[in-house]
Amino acid sequence: MPNYINPAVILHSLDFAESDKLVTFFTRDFGKLKGVAKGAKRSRKRFGSGLEPLTYCTISFFEKESAQLVRLDHCAIVESYSHIHDDVLKVGYASYLGELIREMVAEREANRELFKLLTTFLSLINEPFFREEFIRIFELRLLALAGYQPELSRCVICRKAVNGNREHQFSERKGGLICFECFKGSREYPTLSGGTIKMLQRAQTIELTKVKRLFFSPQACEESRKVLPHFIESRIEKPLKSLRFIEHLGESKGVKYTNKCLK
Ligand SMILES: [Zn+2]
């Protein structure tokens, strides 16, 4: 039974049998895995609070031949992102990142770039300077890594290069922008201004260490919020619970996400 030690982010954790936990976690070198932590509800020594969702830890686990589930042996916290828990909206955003990984990433497909993306953006949510547009950048980068990159440089109908000074429409079904000549004044799809398109193009390529230097205008925040999360839902063909939670918070508390963008 090979034993592994690897950095991981806990995605989901569920009480299982009398004292065990069933845990979904995303490792740096083995991808997304599911496993059983025997006695986790009793053993603070072996697992501490490291199995809480969205904790970054070092996990020790082993595989049993012919078993789908791995066995978790030990867990040590690297980063608990404690400030996320000070703000219910941040909890919503962090849960959204976790749900996206759970829904869009296949089990046992290692992807170091994706692991770096997740830990980088959990750290950004944990920071006081967090802004909503960071979530849009995460979405775009995740879409690219998962093979669903939207077309933001050419019209998906006539293939003409996008004119950055004009508005375009965004078709979920066609997976990208439609130019003015092709949508011919109809209002079938959501509109993105030239400024918003430039921001999104920049977000597709910016180095992760420079993300905090990118500021969306309130218009870019609003337009991209109407497009990207729903594009993801259309691609995975199911609604995302954490997205509804974020939207509900925005409505019930009167929290306008654009406030976050203006900081
Ligand atoms: Zn066109």
Side-chain angles (χ1 to χ4, degrees):
M1 283 190 293
N3 191 33
Y4 303 100
I5 297 173
N6 212 237
V9 174
I10 306 295
L11 299 177
H12 194 247
S13 164
L14 193 73
D15 287 348
F16 180 63
E18 207 167 291
S19 59
D20 307 341
K21 277 182 184 280
L22 186 60
V23 185
T24 307
F25 56 108
F26 185 54
T27 64
R28 187 190 62 190
D29 297 319
F30 303 93
K32 190 176 75 175
L33 296 171
K34 277 187 188 162
V36 179
K38 283 268 177 202
K41 278 155 71 182
R42 283 198 298 255
S43 177
R44 301 287 298 171
K45 194 174 153 203
R46 278 164 56 223
F47 298 108
S49 55
L51 297 179
E52 291 300 313
L54 304 166
T55 304
Y56 180 3
C57 45
T58 302
I59 277 189
S60 164
F61 65 94
F62 55 90
E63 293 214 72
K64 288 171 85 175
E65 271 176 47
S66 76
Q68 270 297 101
L69 297 173
V70 301
R71 182 78 67 88
L72 277 73
D73 186 43
H74 189 267
C75 170
I77 295 177
V78 175
E79 174 59 76
S80 61
Y81 307 111
S82 58
H83 297 305
I84 288 179
H85 302 283
D86 298 341
D87 178 345
V88 69
L89 194 55
K90 285 191 173 192
V91 171
Y93 284 127
S95 305
Y96 178 54
L97 266 49
E99 190 175 0
L100 289 176
I101 299 287
R102 270 164 58 206
E103 296 296 341
M104 295 180 72
V105 177
E107 278 189 38
R108 295 177 184 263
E109 277 186 16
N111 191 330
R112 279 193 169 209
E113 226 179 314
L114 198 50
F115 185 79
K116 180 75 188 158
L117 188 75
L118 178 61
T119 52
T120 298
F121 280 81
L122 286 173
S123 292
L124 286 168
I125 298 175
N126 195 47
E127 292 290 343
F129 56 75
F130 167 73
R131 301 187 304 276
E132 186 200 1
E133 59 257 46
F134 296 162
I135 302 299
R136 301 291 90 83
I137 301 170
F138 179 87
E139 289 165 338
L140 279 169
R141 305 301 273 263
L142 174 64
L143 282 163
L145 288 170
Y148 296 123
Q149 173 147 287
E151 177 58 85
L152 299 176
S153 55
R154 296 188 170 277
C155 169
V156 290
I157 294 175
C158 69
R159 305 304 299 164
K160 219 187 299 170
V162 162
N163 176 344
N165 298 317
R166 298 192 78 169
E167 65 177 30
H168 287 61
Q169 291 193 356
F170 185 90
S171 163
E172 278 177 14
R173 198 165 52 81
K174 296 189 193 311
L177 295 174
I178 300 178
C179 74
F180 188 82
E181 286 72 24
C182 289
F183 72 74
K184 296 182 188 80
S186 87
R187 291 283 146 194
E188 188 178 351
Y189 304 113
T191 300
L192 297 178
S193 65
T196 300
I197 294 167
K198 280 182 194 160
M199 279 293 159
L200 296 180
Q201 288 171 338
R202 180 107 178 82
Q204 283 182 317
T205 54
I206 192 168
E207 281 176 44
L208 294 188
T209 52
K210 294 179 180 164
V211 161
K212 58 187 167 198
R213 296 191 206 162
L214 193 65
F215 286 82
F216 279 28
S217 66
Q219 185 183 13
C221 277
E222 196 174 333
E223 289 179 351
S224 57
R225 184 192 314 125
K226 284 179 183 164
V227 162
L228 288 177
H230 303 294
F231 177 61
I232 291 175
E233 286 187 317
S234 77
R235 281 296 174 263
I236 62 173
E237 296 179 337
K238 68 191 282 192
L240 293 158
K241 282 184 201 157
S242 51
L243 191 58
R244 296 294 93 73
F245 177 71
I246 293 166
E247 288 170 351
H248 173 73
L249 272 184
E251 285 163 17
S252 68
K253 294 187 128 197
V255 179
K256 283 290 174 199
Y257 305 136
T258 42
N259 291 343
K260 293 270 179 193
C261 291
L262 287 169
K263 264 187 194 173

